[in-house]
């Protein structure tokens, strides 16, 4: 890895594929699609590539505004509620769950489902607590956050004055649209959802940064990690770009016998990152009867469940492991006074045991005929996470282009909405 690049792709488990003439030919033939990608945001006629322009996303005035509001929330709130669905809350949740240190305020999520049980549970949780909320919706027609906001507004009206509510509500939306107008009318703090950034690519914009800053994670570190990676990509040729090699490999395998990709990790903190990744690739590529089906596995727990299928089920799988090389903490295995038959663990730490499970799993799944790649990150911190988000966004964009789909639309999700709205009389 380079000094400031904390992420690398390891293809050693599929050496025979990567070094084959046919893969090399496939990569060469992809040059026309891949080469222009890195600078494409500079001439973004369709207004979908704003997420690539890290300098624009980290405009000082915006960052200061987010940091100041986050400080106020950290000082005054017991609970901070992120109201949004899909790309509007997926990125921040992934970062917060990966790096959260358990500090106040407690961060919870609403507007991401329609379960009365869940909503009721959340309302119970916030009762009597000092709350702040961030409502995030690019297009403020999405039902879940619209309903969640209404329920929270109604609760807040019962406990706060109008003035207090305006201080405690932050909205992130499209300038000129309904949420924006509402925010002006009611005096809420408004953050612009960049027009050129779609939901699932929005984690490094105001959309993800506001909740992430509230959790105490350094958003400057995250952005600086992403920026270093962007500059690295700009300095290398397409065939040395590991995000492109990964994107090419996915397409190469899907044209052969692979239908499903699993993102796997032995770091429990990455479970919502896995969800973010599934959404990114699923919504970007699942079109025109094409695309790998993305799923994710949180090991070692899922070894006791999906491990069976991955080892011996239908052989149409690729597995992408995220390996965190150096752990932030480690725990010694305590000696036992009673014979519990676990003395073989005495010389290990928990991280050492986790590593043995990881290495053993890779070996076993490889033996089982799964195509395996590894994405290594040196440490789980804000800087590396910024790079990991950016790396996958670039690879998803590239992969969608190679697949021949538009990775920035999601027309398929309109179908269920139409039927649901018919029933709701909208
Ligand atoms: O990635 C996307 O564009 C979607 O998943 C959206 O983020 C999701 O549908 C929420 O949309 P909105 O922010 O308009 O409520």
């Amino acid at each position: 890895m380079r000094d400031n690049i904390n992420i690398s792709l390891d293809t050693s488990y599929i050496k025979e594929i990567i070094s084959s003439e046919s893969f090399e030919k496939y990569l060469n033939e992809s040059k026309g699609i891949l080469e222009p990608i890195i600078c494409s945001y500079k001439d973004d006629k369709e207004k979908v590539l704003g997420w690539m322009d890290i300098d624009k996303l980290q405009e000082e005035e915006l960052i200061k505004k987010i940091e100041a509001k986050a400080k106020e929330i950290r000082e005054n709130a017991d609970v901070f509620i992120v109201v949004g669905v899909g790309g509007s809350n997926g990125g921040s949740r992934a970062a917060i769950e990966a790096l959260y240190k358990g500090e106040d305020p407690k961060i919870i999520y609403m507007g991401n489902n329609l379960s009365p049980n869940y909503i009721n549970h959340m309302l119970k949780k916030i009762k009597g607590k000092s709350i702040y909320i961030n409502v995030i919706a690019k297009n403020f027609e999405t039902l879940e956050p619209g309903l969640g906001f209404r329920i929270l507004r109604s609760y807040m009206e019962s406990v706060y004055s109008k003035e207090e509510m305006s201080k405690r509500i932050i909205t992130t939306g499209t300038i000129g649209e309904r949420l924006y107008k509402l925010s002006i009318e009611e005096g809420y703090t408004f953050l612009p959802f960049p027009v050129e950034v779609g939901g699932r690519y929005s984690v490094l914009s105001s959309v993800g940064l506001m909740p992430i800053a509230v959790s105490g994670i350094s958003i400057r570190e995250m952005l600086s990690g992403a920026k270093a990676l962007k500059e690295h990509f700009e300095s290398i040729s397409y065939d040395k770009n590991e995000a492109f090699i990964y994107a090419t490999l996915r397409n190469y395998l899907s044209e052969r016998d692979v239908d499903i990709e699993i993102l796997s990790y032995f770091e429990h903190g990455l479970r919502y990152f896995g969800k973010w990744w599934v959404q990114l690739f699923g919504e970007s590529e699942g079109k025109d009867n094409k695309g790998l089906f993305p799923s994710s596995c949180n090991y070692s727990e899922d070894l006791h469940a999906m491990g069976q299928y991955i080892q011996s089920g239908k052989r149409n799988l690729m597995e992408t492991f995220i390996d965190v090389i150096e752990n932030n903490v480690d725990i010694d295995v305590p000696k036992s006074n009673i014979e519990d038959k676990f003395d073989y663990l005495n010389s290990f730490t928990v991280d050492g045991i986790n590593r043995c499970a990881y290495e053993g799993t890779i070996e076993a799944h490889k033996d089982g005929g799964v195509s395996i790649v590894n994405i290594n990150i040196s440490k789980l911190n804000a800087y590396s996470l910024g790079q990991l988000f950016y790396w996958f966004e670039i690879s998803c964009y590239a992969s969608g282009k190679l697949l021949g789909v538009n990775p920035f639309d999601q027309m398929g999700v309109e179908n269920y909405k139409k039927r649901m709205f018919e029933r709701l009389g909208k």
Side-chain angles (χ1 to χ4, degrees):
M1 286 188 207
R2 289 192 182 195
D3 273 358
N4 61 348
I5 303 302
N6 290 9
I7 180 167
S8 67
L9 176 74
D10 172 7
T11 53
S12 58
Y13 296 100
I14 44 159
K15 271 204 289 294
E16 53 307 336
I17 297 176
I18 289 288
S19 53
S20 69
E21 261 177 47
S22 83
F23 182 75
E24 225 166 89
K25 187 161 170 269
Y26 195 90
L27 185 61
N28 286 339
E29 284 167 2
S30 305
K31 182 177 179 183
I33 294 176
L34 296 175
E35 214 166 34
I37 282 182
I38 289 301
C39 289
S40 54
Y41 71 95
K42 293 180 181 161
D43 181 27
D44 178 18
K45 294 204 175 67
E46 273 149 44
K47 300 219 173 299
V48 287
L49 300 175
W51 55 272
M52 293 179 77
D53 192 353
I54 301 293
D55 282 325
K56 204 164 164 205
L57 297 179
Q58 64 178 355
E59 218 179 73
E60 189 56 21
E61 208 181 313
L62 175 71
I63 299 298
K64 277 193 176 145
K65 182 175 176 181
I66 291 175
E67 285 175 336
K69 197 71 196 172
K71 184 167 179 283
E72 176 193 327
I73 297 170
R74 284 169 66 75
E75 282 166 4
N76 295 302
D78 301 319
V79 183
F80 177 67
I81 308 159
V82 183
V83 185
V85 71
S88 284
N89 78 346
S92 58
R93 189 174 204 178
I96 293 165
E97 297 289 334
L99 302 178
Y100 188 49
K101 296 192 190 84
E103 292 166 7
D104 279 348
K106 190 162 179 36
I107 300 178
I108 63 171
Y109 301 85
M110 258 179 82
N112 56 345
N113 66 65
L114 297 168
S115 157
N117 286 321
Y118 180 87
I119 295 170
N120 187 39
H121 184 61
M122 290 301 139
L123 287 174
K124 278 192 181 152
K125 260 194 171 161
I126 63 176
K127 202 158 181 236
K129 301 270 165 54
S130 164
I131 66 165
Y132 275 68
I133 72 172
N134 184 191
V135 181
I136 310 166
K138 179 161 190 171
N139 154 22
F140 189 54
E141 284 180 16
T142 312
L143 191 156
E144 292 91 336
L147 175 67
F149 188 21
R150 198 188 256 211
I151 292 172
L152 283 169
R153 266 198 330 272
S154 153
Y155 168 74
M156 290 174 88
E157 276 160 11
S158 71
V159 288
Y160 296 123
S161 66
K162 198 169 170 353
E163 197 194 355
E164 194 63 21
M165 275 179 71
S166 69
K167 206 175 82 185
R168 289 171 181 269
I169 297 176
I170 300 106
T171 56
T172 310
T174 305
I175 292 179
E177 294 205 346
R178 185 67 201 124
L179 187 59
Y180 168 79
K181 290 183 183 147
L182 199 80
S183 307
I184 304 289
E185 286 158 21
E186 302 295 321
Y188 307 149
T189 301
F190 177 81
L191 295 169
F193 196 133
V195 178
E196 324 75 34
V197 177
R200 57 192 175 275
Y201 294 84
S202 68
V203 57
L204 299 170
S205 75
S206 55
V207 175
L209 295 178
M210 182 72 237
I212 292 172
V214 171
S215 77
I217 298 168
S218 166
I219 55 174
R220 287 183 193 265
E221 276 288 297
M222 275 188 82
L223 288 164
S224 101
K227 187 174 176 195
L229 186 63
K230 173 181 178 283
E231 286 170 354
H232 169 61
F233 284 162
E234 282 165 0
S235 72
I236 55 175
S237 60
Y238 84 97
D239 53 343
K240 299 279 175 299
N241 183 320
E242 293 183 335
F244 285 171
I245 293 172
Y246 167 69
T248 307
L249 182 69
R250 300 177 80 250
N251 279 274
Y252 179 84
L253 292 175
S254 92
E255 283 179 25
R256 284 152 180 89
D257 49 3
V258 172
D259 299 315
I260 295 168
E261 180 179 9
I262 307 154
L263 186 82
S264 299
Y265 37 85
F266 279 78
E267 170 46 60
H268 185 70
L270 289 175
R271 65 205 182 284
Y272 282 96
F273 186 87
K275 210 166 157 53
W276 173 84
W277 178 91
V278 164
Q279 191 222 350
L280 178 68
F281 280 92
E283 221 174 19
S284 298
E285 288 199 319
K287 296 161 193 175
D288 309 334
N289 306 324
K290 295 181 189 173
L292 290 175
F293 181 85
S295 69
S296 89
C297 277
N298 177 12
Y299 293 150
S300 64
E301 189 174 349
D302 281 330
L303 288 173
H304 300 264
M306 293 304 286
Q308 172 60 41
Y309 190 101
I310 297 168
Q311 191 68 45
S312 326
K314 198 170 172 193
R315 299 297 75 194
N316 58 354
L317 309 173
M318 85 176 267
E319 192 167 21
T320 300
F321 282 86
I322 299 182
D323 182 17
V324 182
I325 306 284
E326 191 193 327
N327 224 315
N328 295 332
V329 286
D330 203 355
I331 297 172
D332 287 326
V333 175
K335 307 275 177 294
S336 172
N337 298 329
I338 54 165
E339 173 50 80
D340 63 358
K341 296 199 175 158
F342 285 99
D343 274 353
Y344 65 94
L345 299 177
N346 282 354
S347 61
F348 286 93
T349 63
V350 175
D351 190 46
I353 298 169
N354 204 22
R355 186 140 294 277
C356 290
Y358 160 74
E359 288 169 4
T361 302
I362 290 206
E363 227 172 80
H365 290 183
K366 183 175 166 15
D367 281 355
V370 179
S371 301
I372 288 169
V373 291
N374 250 297
I375 293 167
N376 299 321
I377 54 168
S378 48
K379 227 178 157 107
L380 197 58
N381 55 25
Y383 187 88
S384 303
L385 209 56
Q387 294 201 339
L388 200 59
F389 281 125
Y390 196 73
W391 198 95
F392 275 121
E393 286 174 351
I394 290 285
S395 62
C396 186
Y397 171 19
S399 185
K401 284 284 167 198
L402 291 172
L403 188 63
V405 299
N406 178 352
F408 304 111
D409 68 6
Q410 57 278 331
M411 296 314 285
V413 298
E414 295 310 316
N415 202 335
Y416 93 86
K417 284 188 192 168
K418 185 172 165 280
R419 291 158 203 245
M420 172 180 71
F421 288 141
E422 272 165 19
R423 286 167 170 77
L424 291 168
K426 185 185 175 200

